[in-house]
Amino acid sequence: MPITTLADMKFIPDKFNKYVLQRTTEKSALVRSGIITTSPEYSELINGSGGQFITMPYFQPLAGEDDVFTEDDIETGNITSGTSVAPVLMRVKGWGETDLSKALSGEDPLGATAEQISDWWVGREQQILLSILKGILDPAAGTLKAHVNDISTGSGSAANISVGATLDTKQTMGDAAQRLGLIAMHSAVYTYLQKMQQIEFVTDAETNITIARYLNYDILVDDGILPVNGAYTTYLLGGGAFGRADGTPKGFVSSEIERSAKGSKTSLYNRRALILHPQGISWENRGDYTNDKHTTPANIDLALPENWKAKTDLKNIPITAIKHKIDVPAGA
């Protein structure tokens, strides 16, 4: 059968890019978990900013005492708000026909190509999020260092993740700990907890799907959470901890196909202008990046603790971490 090429496809950049973004969102386990929320308002901010940063508004929790009901006028309090700065992350990737050969050989090459690219972006978003977590939860200088429980330097089993250590980590949120609902860990940590018989499997009554839980937290397993010097980091996260959106700033070309006659090569380029930002925390760096050619931060910049500053009470930021080991006792 004839081989489809990129040049053969009826390529409409806007439609292609919308499909890639839609599928990327649908496939993201972090979005499905509720840890990341998407907002059309954030997309509008990206489209209208025309710059490298957007200002994200947020509301402070309601405070104050109640009043005893009388016929007197009631004094009303104010709903206070704040703002944090988020960098617009400009990312791009190009693929040649050789890279996309499997997708191009199918019955719907354009759709299959978009699926393949969306899978790739899901992985990149997870790396962005892990870089941010590394920066804001740095145990020495991170703006959320008070939310880090580091037991990795303990002696023997005291350094291992356990029910007690996880509950201590939860307690860093105080009475706001109920907002935590998901635990993200490396697959080796997940297997260790299985060996310790601490993973519970629950079948959802409506969907009949079996769900793994640890201490009643939903579990996300991601091998991108790499150990450092034998110590793992496991995260406890709450709903809406991150905001996420894609946009198309003026003059930004999201997708295009390029044909090189000289090299007899056709390439597809896919670009994104996105935010993936911890709520209640502001980006402090205004352009002094590790690579001085960059106009937006790379993951290495997102992982630097000095680039972040909390703008609200830490109890309002449902992001915590436990640093630990997983040495399995003999006979376990």
Side-chain angles (χ1 to χ4, degrees), residues 180-229:
L180 300 171
L182 178 132
I183 186 166
M185 62 184 67
H186 191 278
S187 63
V189 178
Y190 179 72
T191 299
Y192 170 81
L193 293 174
Q194 283 182 299
K195 290 179 178 180
M196 297 295 102
Q197 299 183 353
Q198 294 177 4
I199 300 295
E200 180 184 11
F201 294 93
V202 180
T203 301
D204 186 272
E206 292 185 7
T207 63
N208 203 35
I209 296 175
T210 300
I211 303 170
R213 286 201 171 103
Y214 177 61
L215 296 179
N216 209 33
Y217 295 118
D218 291 337
I219 299 172
L220 175 68
V221 178
D222 186 347
D223 280 349
I225 311 175
L226 297 172
V228 177
N229 298 325

mmCIF file of all heavy atoms in Angstrom, residues 180-229:
data_model
loop_
_atom_site.group_PDB
_atom_site.id
_atom_site.type_symbol
_atom_site.label_atom_id
_atom_site.label_comp_id
_atom_site.label_asym_id
_atom_site.label_seq_id
_atom_site.Cartn_x
_atom_site.Cartn_y
_atom_site.Cartn_z
ATOM 1 N N LEU A 180 -5.465 17.198 51.347
ATOM 2 C CA LEU A 180 -4.576 16.279 50.640
ATOM 3 C C LEU A 180 -5.355 15.039 50.212
ATOM 4 O O LEU A 180 -6.066 14.442 51.026
ATOM 5 C CB LEU A 180 -3.410 15.881 51.548
ATOM 6 C CG LEU A 180 -2.526 17.027 52.048
ATOM 7 C CD1 LEU A 180 -1.546 16.533 53.095
ATOM 8 C CD2 LEU A 180 -1.795 17.698 50.891
ATOM 9 N N GLY A 181 -5.206 14.656 48.937
ATOM 10 C CA GLY A 181 -5.986 13.522 48.465
ATOM 11 C C GLY A 181 -5.239 12.544 47.591
ATOM 12 O O GLY A 181 -5.748 11.469 47.275
ATOM 13 N N LEU A 182 -4.012 12.889 47.184
ATOM 14 C CA LEU A 182 -3.267 12.030 46.270
ATOM 15 C C LEU A 182 -1.828 11.908 46.733
ATOM 16 O O LEU A 182 -1.240 12.877 47.220
ATOM 17 C CB LEU A 182 -3.312 12.596 44.845
ATOM 18 C CG LEU A 182 -2.525 11.806 43.789
ATOM 19 C CD1 LEU A 182 -3.369 11.575 42.543
ATOM 20 C CD2 LEU A 182 -1.249 12.564 43.389
ATOM 21 N N ILE A 183 -1.276 10.719 46.585
ATOM 22 C CA ILE A 183 0.127 10.488 46.900
ATOM 23 C C ILE A 183 0.832 10.033 45.633
ATOM 24 O O ILE A 183 0.375 9.130 44.930
ATOM 25 C CB ILE A 183 0.285 9.452 48.045
ATOM 26 C CG1 ILE A 183 1.752 9.335 48.475
ATOM 27 C CG2 ILE A 183 -0.302 8.099 47.687
ATOM 28 C CD1 ILE A 183 1.943 8.609 49.809
ATOM 29 N N ALA A 184 1.917 10.726 45.274
ATOM 30 C CA ALA A 184 2.674 10.432 44.056
ATOM 31 C C ALA A 184 4.020 9.842 44.442
ATOM 32 O O ALA A 184 4.740 10.406 45.272
ATOM 33 C CB ALA A 184 2.870 11.706 43.228
ATOM 34 N N MET A 185 4.361 8.711 43.826
ATOM 35 C CA MET A 185 5.564 7.987 44.234
ATOM 36 C C MET A 185 6.213 7.259 43.056
ATOM 37 O O MET A 185 5.578 7.012 42.020
ATOM 38 C CB MET A 185 5.200 6.967 45.315
ATOM 39 C CG MET A 185 4.213 5.896 44.858
ATOM 40 S SD MET A 185 3.699 4.763 46.181
ATOM 41 C CE MET A 185 2.758 5.852 47.245
ATOM 42 N N HIS A 186 7.455 6.905 43.224
ATOM 43 C CA HIS A 186 8.192 6.072 42.268
ATOM 44 C C HIS A 186 7.659 4.644 42.351
ATOM 45 O O HIS A 186 7.166 4.205 43.393
ATOM 46 C CB HIS A 186 9.682 6.114 42.608
ATOM 47 C CG HIS A 186 10.572 5.517 41.567
ATOM 48 N ND1 HIS A 186 10.791 4.155 41.472
ATOM 49 C CD2 HIS A 186 11.306 6.091 40.585
ATOM 50 C CE1 HIS A 186 11.625 3.926 40.478
ATOM 51 N NE2 HIS A 186 11.957 5.079 39.910
ATOM 52 N N SER A 187 7.754 3.909 41.247
ATOM 53 C CA SER A 187 7.233 2.542 41.235
ATOM 54 C C SER A 187 7.944 1.645 42.253
ATOM 55 O O SER A 187 7.340 0.714 42.796
ATOM 56 C CB SER A 187 7.348 1.933 39.828
ATOM 57 O OG SER A 187 8.710 1.829 39.432
ATOM 58 N N ALA A 188 9.220 1.935 42.534
ATOM 59 C CA ALA A 188 9.940 1.138 43.537
ATOM 60 C C ALA A 188 9.356 1.360 44.929
ATOM 61 O O ALA A 188 9.300 0.432 45.745
ATOM 62 C CB ALA A 188 11.427 1.494 43.524
ATOM 63 N N VAL A 189 8.907 2.571 45.207
ATOM 64 C CA VAL A 189 8.261 2.860 46.488
ATOM 65 C C VAL A 189 6.918 2.139 46.561
ATOM 66 O O VAL A 189 6.552 1.553 47.587
ATOM 67 C CB VAL A 189 8.074 4.380 46.671
ATOM 68 C CG1 VAL A 189 7.359 4.684 47.988
ATOM 69 C CG2 VAL A 189 9.419 5.093 46.614
ATOM 70 N N TYR A 190 6.188 2.166 45.458
ATOM 71 C CA TYR A 190 4.894 1.483 45.394
ATOM 72 C C TYR A 190 5.068 -0.019 45.648
ATOM 73 O O TYR A 190 4.313 -0.626 46.421
ATOM 74 C CB TYR A 190 4.271 1.722 44.020
ATOM 75 C CG TYR A 190 2.927 1.053 43.809
ATOM 76 C CD1 TYR A 190 1.784 1.526 44.440
ATOM 77 C CD2 TYR A 190 2.806 -0.052 42.964
ATOM 78 C CE1 TYR A 190 0.553 0.923 44.245
ATOM 79 C CE2 TYR A 190 1.585 -0.665 42.768
ATOM 80 C CZ TYR A 190 0.459 -0.168 43.406
ATOM 81 O OH TYR A 190 -0.752 -0.781 43.209
ATOM 82 N N THR A 191 6.076 -0.613 45.021
ATOM 83 C CA THR A 191 6.333 -2.045 45.211
ATOM 84 C C THR A 191 6.743 -2.332 46.654
ATOM 85 O O THR A 191 6.326 -3.331 47.248
ATOM 86 C CB THR A 191 7.435 -2.520 44.243
ATOM 87 O OG1 THR A 191 6.988 -2.303 42.900
ATOM 88 C CG2 THR A 191 7.734 -3.997 44.433
ATOM 89 N N TYR A 192 7.551 -1.449 47.239
ATOM 90 C CA TYR A 192 7.956 -1.608 48.636
ATOM 91 C C TYR A 192 6.728 -1.619 49.555
ATOM 92 O O TYR A 192 6.606 -2.462 50.443
ATOM 93 C CB TYR A 192 8.905 -0.474 49.026
ATOM 94 C CG TYR A 192 9.192 -0.395 50.506
ATOM 95 C CD1 TYR A 192 10.140 -1.227 51.100
ATOM 96 C CD2 TYR A 192 8.512 0.523 51.315
ATOM 97 C CE1 TYR A 192 10.399 -1.161 52.463
ATOM 98 C CE2 TYR A 192 8.774 0.593 52.678
ATOM 99 C CZ TYR A 192 9.711 -0.246 53.246
ATOM 100 O OH TYR A 192 9.957 -0.177 54.593
ATOM 101 N N LEU A 193 5.818 -0.687 49.345
ATOM 102 C CA LEU A 193 4.613 -0.612 50.171
ATOM 103 C C LEU A 193 3.721 -1.836 49.966
ATOM 104 O O LEU A 193 3.045 -2.280 50.896
ATOM 105 C CB LEU A 193 3.839 0.677 49.877
ATOM 106 C CG LEU A 193 4.548 1.970 50.294
ATOM 107 C CD1 LEU A 193 3.758 3.183 49.831
ATOM 108 C CD2 LEU A 193 4.768 2.020 51.797
ATOM 109 N N GLN A 194 3.746 -2.383 48.736
ATOM 110 C CA GLN A 194 3.017 -3.638 48.498
ATOM 111 C C GLN A 194 3.637 -4.770 49.326
ATOM 112 O O GLN A 194 2.918 -5.579 49.930
ATOM 113 C CB GLN A 194 3.050 -4.004 47.015
ATOM 114 C CG GLN A 194 2.094 -3.196 46.149
ATOM 115 C CD GLN A 194 2.140 -3.644 44.699
ATOM 116 O OE1 GLN A 194 3.180 -3.574 44.053
ATOM 117 N NE2 GLN A 194 1.014 -4.130 44.201
ATOM 118 N N LYS A 195 4.968 -4.836 49.337
ATOM 119 C CA LYS A 195 5.649 -5.867 50.117
ATOM 120 C C LYS A 195 5.341 -5.728 51.615
ATOM 121 O O LYS A 195 5.275 -6.722 52.339
ATOM 122 C CB LYS A 195 7.160 -5.795 49.886
ATOM 123 C CG LYS A 195 7.598 -6.232 48.497
ATOM 124 C CD LYS A 195 9.104 -6.114 48.339
ATOM 125 C CE LYS A 195 9.552 -6.599 46.972
ATOM 126 N NZ LYS A 195 11.015 -6.487 46.789
ATOM 127 N N MET A 196 5.170 -4.489 52.047
ATOM 128 C CA MET A 196 4.825 -4.235 53.442
ATOM 129 C C MET A 196 3.328 -4.422 53.694
ATOM 130 O O MET A 196 2.854 -4.193 54.810
ATOM 131 C CB MET A 196 5.233 -2.807 53.835
ATOM 132 C CG MET A 196 6.725 -2.516 53.765
ATOM 133 S SD MET A 196 7.706 -3.476 54.956
ATOM 134 C CE MET A 196 8.390 -4.736 53.877
ATOM 135 N N GLN A 197 2.609 -4.801 52.636
ATOM 136 C CA GLN A 197 1.154 -5.033 52.699
ATOM 137 C C GLN A 197 0.406 -3.800 53.200
ATOM 138 O O GLN A 197 -0.543 -3.886 53.975
ATOM 139 C CB GLN A 197 0.851 -6.256 53.580
ATOM 140 C CG GLN A 197 1.470 -7.539 53.064
ATOM 141 C CD GLN A 197 1.106 -8.750 53.904
ATOM 142 O OE1 GLN A 197 0.483 -8.648 54.951
ATOM 143 N NE2 GLN A 197 1.505 -9.919 53.429
ATOM 144 N N GLN A 198 0.843 -2.639 52.694
ATOM 145 C CA GLN A 198 0.218 -1.383 53.103
ATOM 146 C C GLN A 198 -0.610 -0.744 51.999
ATOM 147 O O GLN A 198 -1.178 0.335 52.206
ATOM 148 C CB GLN A 198 1.301 -0.406 53.592
ATOM 149 C CG GLN A 198 1.992 -0.874 54.868
ATOM 150 C CD GLN A 198 3.108 0.052 55.301
ATOM 151 O OE1 GLN A 198 3.342 1.095 54.710
ATOM 152 N NE2 GLN A 198 3.812 -0.341 56.357
ATOM 153 N N ILE A 199 -0.679 -1.386 50.830
ATOM 154 C CA ILE A 199 -1.513 -0.892 49.736
ATOM 155 C C ILE A 199 -2.877 -1.569 49.815
ATOM 156 O O ILE A 199 -2.969 -2.794 49.902
ATOM 157 C CB ILE A 199 -0.871 -1.159 48.366
ATOM 158 C CG1 ILE A 199 0.502 -0.470 48.271
ATOM 159 C CG2 ILE A 199 -1.786 -0.671 47.247
ATOM 160 C CD1 ILE A 199 0.458 1.032 48.313
ATOM 161 N N GLU A 200 -3.920 -0.763 49.770
ATOM 162 C CA GLU A 200 -5.280 -1.284 49.817
ATOM 163 C C GLU A 200 -5.918 -1.135 48.444
ATOM 164 O O GLU A 200 -5.760 -0.106 47.786
ATOM 165 C CB GLU A 200 -6.108 -0.508 50.847
ATOM 166 C CG GLU A 200 -7.544 -0.973 50.961
ATOM 167 C CD GLU A 200 -8.355 -0.116 51.918
ATOM 168 O OE1 GLU A 200 -7.855 0.959 52.316
ATOM 169 O OE2 GLU A 200 -9.480 -0.503 52.255
ATOM 170 N N PHE A 201 -6.616 -2.166 48.003
ATOM 171 C CA PHE A 201 -7.299 -2.122 46.715
ATOM 172 C C PHE A 201 -8.802 -2.059 46.942
ATOM 173 O O PHE A 201 -9.397 -2.920 47.596
ATOM 174 C CB PHE A 201 -6.931 -3.342 45.870
ATOM 175 C CG PHE A 201 -5.476 -3.357 45.461
ATOM 176 C CD1 PHE A 201 -4.519 -4.019 46.241
ATOM 177 C CD2 PHE A 201 -5.043 -2.687 44.329
ATOM 178 C CE1 PHE A 201 -3.181 -4.023 45.879
ATOM 179 C CE2 PHE A 201 -3.712 -2.686 43.968
ATOM 180 C CZ PHE A 201 -2.774 -3.355 44.733
ATOM 181 N N VAL A 202 -9.416 -1.011 46.388
ATOM 182 C CA VAL A 202 -10.837 -0.751 46.583
ATOM 183 C C VAL A 202 -11.520 -0.748 45.225
ATOM 184 O O VAL A 202 -11.024 -0.137 44.269
ATOM 185 C CB VAL A 202 -11.054 0.603 47.291
ATOM 186 C CG1 VAL A 202 -12.543 0.871 47.488
ATOM 187 C CG2 VAL A 202 -10.321 0.629 48.620
ATOM 188 N N THR A 203 -12.672 -1.408 45.123
ATOM 189 C CA THR A 203 -13.431 -1.439 43.874
ATOM 190 C C THR A 203 -14.523 -0.385 43.921
ATOM 191 O O THR A 203 -15.352 -0.364 44.836
ATOM 192 C CB THR A 203 -14.068 -2.820 43.641
ATOM 193 O OG1 THR A 203 -13.027 -3.806 43.604
ATOM 194 C CG2 THR A 203 -14.833 -2.852 42.324
ATOM 195 N N ASP A 204 -14.497 0.525 42.943
ATOM 196 C CA ASP A 204 -15.514 1.560 42.852
ATOM 197 C C ASP A 204 -16.867 0.945 42.510
ATOM 198 O O ASP A 204 -16.983 0.192 41.537
ATOM 199 C CB ASP A 204 -15.118 2.592 41.789
ATOM 200 C CG ASP A 204 -16.070 3.765 41.747
ATOM 201 O OD1 ASP A 204 -17.075 3.668 41.011
ATOM 202 O OD2 ASP A 204 -15.825 4.764 42.435
ATOM 203 N N ALA A 205 -17.891 1.261 43.295
ATOM 204 C CA ALA A 205 -19.206 0.640 43.131
ATOM 205 C C ALA A 205 -19.857 1.016 41.808
ATOM 206 O O ALA A 205 -20.596 0.218 41.214
ATOM 207 C CB ALA A 205 -20.122 1.035 44.290
ATOM 208 N N GLU A 206 -19.591 2.223 41.300
ATOM 209 C CA GLU A 206 -20.242 2.682 40.064
ATOM 210 C C GLU A 206 -19.521 2.183 38.825
ATOM 211 O O GLU A 206 -20.146 1.723 37.869
ATOM 212 C CB GLU A 206 -20.324 4.205 40.061
ATOM 213 C CG GLU A 206 -21.270 4.773 41.119
ATOM 214 C CD GLU A 206 -21.412 6.279 41.006
ATOM 215 O OE1 GLU A 206 -20.895 6.859 40.026
ATOM 216 O OE2 GLU A 206 -22.052 6.887 41.890
ATOM 217 N N THR A 207 -18.196 2.298 38.802
ATOM 218 C CA THR A 207 -17.438 1.949 37.593
ATOM 219 C C THR A 207 -16.910 0.524 37.610
ATOM 220 O O THR A 207 -16.471 0.019 36.576
ATOM 221 C CB THR A 207 -16.249 2.908 37.431
ATOM 222 O OG1 THR A 207 -15.362 2.738 38.555
ATOM 223 C CG2 THR A 207 -16.719 4.348 37.377
ATOM 224 N N ASN A 208 -16.914 -0.116 38.782
ATOM 225 C CA ASN A 208 -16.375 -1.467 38.952
ATOM 226 C C ASN A 208 -14.872 -1.516 38.662
ATOM 227 O O ASN A 208 -14.328 -2.567 38.333
ATOM 228 C CB ASN A 208 -17.119 -2.482 38.063
ATOM 229 C CG ASN A 208 -16.989 -3.896 38.599
ATOM 230 O OD1 ASN A 208 -16.949 -4.122 39.815
ATOM 231 N ND2 ASN A 208 -16.913 -4.866 37.709
ATOM 232 N N ILE A 209 -14.220 -0.373 38.801
ATOM 233 C CA ILE A 209 -12.775 -0.277 38.584
ATOM 234 C C ILE A 209 -12.067 -0.390 39.933
ATOM 235 O O ILE A 209 -12.463 0.231 40.917
ATOM 236 C CB ILE A 209 -12.402 1.049 37.903
ATOM 237 C CG1 ILE A 209 -13.018 1.111 36.495
ATOM 238 C CG2 ILE A 209 -10.893 1.222 37.834
ATOM 239 C CD1 ILE A 209 -12.801 2.439 35.803
ATOM 240 N N THR A 210 -11.011 -1.203 39.965
ATOM 241 C CA THR A 210 -10.242 -1.371 41.196
ATOM 242 C C THR A 210 -9.210 -0.247 41.320
ATOM 243 O O THR A 210 -8.441 0.004 40.390
ATOM 244 C CB THR A 210 -9.534 -2.732 41.215
ATOM 245 O OG1 THR A 210 -10.524 -3.774 41.139
ATOM 246 C CG2 THR A 210 -8.737 -2.909 42.496
ATOM 247 N N ILE A 211 -9.212 0.411 42.460
ATOM 248 C CA ILE A 211 -8.337 1.561 42.702
ATOM 249 C C ILE A 211 -7.384 1.233 43.851
ATOM 250 O O ILE A 211 -7.802 0.722 44.893
ATOM 251 C CB ILE A 211 -9.159 2.812 43.052
ATOM 252 C CG1 ILE A 211 -10.155 3.126 41.930
ATOM 253 C CG2 ILE A 211 -8.247 4.006 43.302
ATOM 254 C CD1 ILE A 211 -11.164 4.195 42.310
ATOM 255 N N ALA A 212 -6.101 1.518 43.642
ATOM 256 C CA ALA A 212 -5.106 1.313 44.696
ATOM 257 C C ALA A 212 -5.041 2.548 45.582
ATOM 258 O O ALA A 212 -5.009 3.686 45.085
ATOM 259 C CB ALA A 212 -3.744 1.032 44.084
ATOM 260 N N ARG A 213 -5.006 2.334 46.891
ATOM 261 C CA ARG A 213 -4.928 3.447 47.836
ATOM 262 C C ARG A 213 -3.902 3.148 48.925
ATOM 263 O O ARG A 213 -3.680 1.998 49.278
ATOM 264 C CB ARG A 213 -6.296 3.723 48.466
ATOM 265 C CG ARG A 213 -7.283 4.412 47.521
ATOM 266 C CD ARG A 213 -8.375 5.095 48.314
ATOM 267 N NE ARG A 213 -9.204 5.928 47.450
ATOM 268 C CZ ARG A 213 -10.413 5.592 47.031
ATOM 269 N NH1 ARG A 213 -10.927 4.433 47.390
ATOM 270 N NH2 ARG A 213 -11.106 6.409 46.264
ATOM 271 N N TYR A 214 -3.323 4.219 49.427
ATOM 272 C CA TYR A 214 -2.408 4.132 50.567
ATOM 273 C C TYR A 214 -2.886 5.128 51.610
ATOM 274 O O TYR A 214 -2.956 6.339 51.348
ATOM 275 C CB TYR A 214 -0.974 4.459 50.126
ATOM 276 C CG TYR A 214 0.035 4.463 51.251
ATOM 277 C CD1 TYR A 214 0.287 3.316 51.998
ATOM 278 C CD2 TYR A 214 0.739 5.623 51.572
ATOM 279 C CE1 TYR A 214 1.209 3.318 53.029
ATOM 280 C CE2 TYR A 214 1.675 5.633 52.594
ATOM 281 C CZ TYR A 214 1.902 4.476 53.327
ATOM 282 O OH TYR A 214 2.821 4.481 54.358
ATOM 283 N N LEU A 215 -3.269 4.628 52.775
ATOM 284 C CA LEU A 215 -3.831 5.468 53.836
ATOM 285 C C LEU A 215 -5.014 6.288 53.324
ATOM 286 O O LEU A 215 -5.204 7.454 53.680
ATOM 287 C CB LEU A 215 -2.756 6.394 54.415
ATOM 288 C CG LEU A 215 -1.587 5.698 55.124
ATOM 289 C CD1 LEU A 215 -0.587 6.716 55.640
ATOM 290 C CD2 LEU A 215 -2.086 4.827 56.263
ATOM 291 N N ASN A 216 -5.765 5.684 52.409
ATOM 292 C CA ASN A 216 -6.951 6.288 51.785
ATOM 293 C C ASN A 216 -6.615 7.398 50.795
ATOM 294 O O ASN A 216 -7.501 8.133 50.353
ATOM 295 C CB ASN A 216 -7.936 6.815 52.836
ATOM 296 C CG ASN A 216 -9.372 6.781 52.337
ATOM 297 O OD1 ASN A 216 -9.748 5.893 51.563
ATOM 298 N ND2 ASN A 216 -10.181 7.737 52.752
ATOM 299 N N TYR A 217 -5.345 7.542 50.444
ATOM 300 C CA TYR A 217 -4.957 8.477 49.390
ATOM 301 C C TYR A 217 -4.925 7.737 48.053
ATOM 302 O O TYR A 217 -4.440 6.605 47.970
ATOM 303 C CB TYR A 217 -3.570 9.065 49.656
ATOM 304 C CG TYR A 217 -3.472 9.929 50.889
ATOM 305 C CD1 TYR A 217 -2.643 9.579 51.950
ATOM 306 C CD2 TYR A 217 -4.204 11.104 50.986
ATOM 307 C CE1 TYR A 217 -2.543 10.365 53.085
ATOM 308 C CE2 TYR A 217 -4.117 11.905 52.123
ATOM 309 C CZ TYR A 217 -3.286 11.526 53.168
ATOM 310 O OH TYR A 217 -3.200 12.311 54.296
ATOM 311 N N ASP A 218 -5.439 8.378 46.998
ATOM 312 C CA ASP A 218 -5.256 7.839 45.659
ATOM 313 C C ASP A 218 -3.768 7.841 45.336
ATOM 314 O O ASP A 218 -3.019 8.709 45.816
ATOM 315 C CB ASP A 218 -6.017 8.677 44.628
ATOM 316 C CG ASP A 218 -7.530 8.535 44.769
ATOM 317 O OD1 ASP A 218 -7.978 7.513 45.317
ATOM 318 O OD2 ASP A 218 -8.256 9.456 44.350
ATOM 319 N N ILE A 219 -3.336 6.901 44.499
ATOM 320 C CA ILE A 219 -1.910 6.734 44.210
ATOM 321 C C ILE A 219 -1.610 7.061 42.756
ATOM 322 O O ILE A 219 -2.307 6.612 41.848
ATOM 323 C CB ILE A 219 -1.459 5.291 44.517
ATOM 324 C CG1 ILE A 219 -1.681 4.960 45.994
ATOM 325 C CG2 ILE A 219 0.008 5.097 44.152
ATOM 326 C CD1 ILE A 219 -1.429 3.498 46.327
ATOM 327 N N LEU A 220 -0.574 7.858 42.539
ATOM 328 C CA LEU A 220 -0.038 8.103 41.204
ATOM 329 C C LEU A 220 1.393 7.584 41.186
ATOM 330 O O LEU A 220 2.222 8.014 41.995
ATOM 331 C CB LEU A 220 -0.061 9.589 40.864
ATOM 332 C CG LEU A 220 0.587 9.975 39.527
ATOM 333 C CD1 LEU A 220 -0.223 9.432 38.358
ATOM 334 C CD2 LEU A 220 0.732 11.491 39.404
ATOM 335 N N VAL A 221 1.684 6.650 40.301
ATOM 336 C CA VAL A 221 3.024 6.067 40.190
ATOM 337 C C VAL A 221 3.719 6.671 38.982
ATOM 338 O O VAL A 221 3.188 6.636 37.862
ATOM 339 C CB VAL A 221 2.952 4.529 40.059
ATOM 340 C CG1 VAL A 221 4.355 3.945 39.906
ATOM 341 C CG2 VAL A 221 2.244 3.924 41.263
ATOM 342 N N ASP A 222 4.894 7.236 39.196
ATOM 343 C CA ASP A 222 5.624 7.904 38.121
ATOM 344 C C ASP A 222 7.122 7.708 38.350
ATOM 345 O O ASP A 222 7.673 8.184 39.352
ATOM 346 C CB ASP A 222 5.279 9.394 38.090
ATOM 347 C CG ASP A 222 5.905 10.121 36.907
ATOM 348 O OD1 ASP A 222 6.797 9.557 36.251
ATOM 349 O OD2 ASP A 222 5.515 11.268 36.643
ATOM 350 N N ASP A 223 7.781 7.018 37.431
ATOM 351 C CA ASP A 223 9.221 6.775 37.568
ATOM 352 C C ASP A 223 10.060 8.002 37.243
ATOM 353 O O ASP A 223 11.289 7.960 37.322
ATOM 354 C CB ASP A 223 9.642 5.600 36.688
ATOM 355 C CG ASP A 223 9.332 4.258 37.331
ATOM 356 O OD1 ASP A 223 8.983 4.250 38.528
ATOM 357 O OD2 ASP A 223 9.407 3.232 36.643
ATOM 358 N N GLY A 224 9.388 9.105 36.890
ATOM 359 C CA GLY A 224 10.116 10.359 36.739
ATOM 360 C C GLY A 224 10.538 10.938 38.081
ATOM 361 O O GLY A 224 11.376 11.842 38.141
ATOM 362 N N ILE A 225 9.960 10.415 39.174
ATOM 363 C CA ILE A 225 10.331 10.875 40.522
ATOM 364 C C ILE A 225 11.579 10.108 40.947
ATOM 365 O O ILE A 225 11.535 9.165 41.739
ATOM 366 C CB ILE A 225 9.176 10.653 41.522
ATOM 367 C CG1 ILE A 225 7.863 11.194 40.954
ATOM 368 C CG2 ILE A 225 9.481 11.321 42.854
ATOM 369 C CD1 ILE A 225 6.650 10.902 41.814
ATOM 370 N N LEU A 226 12.688 10.494 40.411
ATOM 371 C CA LEU A 226 13.927 9.734 40.560
ATOM 372 C C LEU A 226 14.520 9.862 41.962
ATOM 373 O O LEU A 226 14.464 10.937 42.576
ATOM 374 C CB LEU A 226 14.954 10.209 39.535
ATOM 375 C CG LEU A 226 14.580 9.991 38.058
ATOM 376 C CD1 LEU A 226 15.597 10.693 37.161
ATOM 377 C CD2 LEU A 226 14.508 8.513 37.735
ATOM 378 N N PRO A 227 15.093 8.774 42.482
ATOM 379 C CA PRO A 227 15.792 8.861 43.772
ATOM 380 C C PRO A 227 17.108 9.614 43.615
ATOM 381 O O PRO A 227 17.706 9.632 42.539
ATOM 382 C CB PRO A 227 16.027 7.393 44.132
ATOM 383 C CG PRO A 227 16.088 6.687 42.810
ATOM 384 C CD PRO A 227 15.126 7.418 41.913
ATOM 385 N N VAL A 228 17.560 10.228 44.699
ATOM 386 C CA VAL A 228 18.836 10.938 44.709
ATOM 387 C C VAL A 228 19.665 10.361 45.854
ATOM 388 O O VAL A 228 19.261 10.431 47.019
ATOM 389 C CB VAL A 228 18.639 12.453 44.910
ATOM 390 C CG1 VAL A 228 19.997 13.152 44.980
ATOM 391 C CG2 VAL A 228 17.791 13.031 43.787
ATOM 392 N N ASN A 229 20.808 9.763 45.504
ATOM 393 C CA ASN A 229 21.691 9.141 46.509
ATOM 394 C C ASN A 229 20.938 8.144 47.390
ATOM 395 O O ASN A 229 21.128 8.107 48.616
ATOM 396 C CB ASN A 229 22.355 10.222 47.370
ATOM 397 C CG ASN A 229 23.243 11.147 46.570
ATOM 398 O OD1 ASN A 229 23.894 10.737 45.612
ATOM 399 N ND2 ASN A 229 23.271 12.421 46.953
#
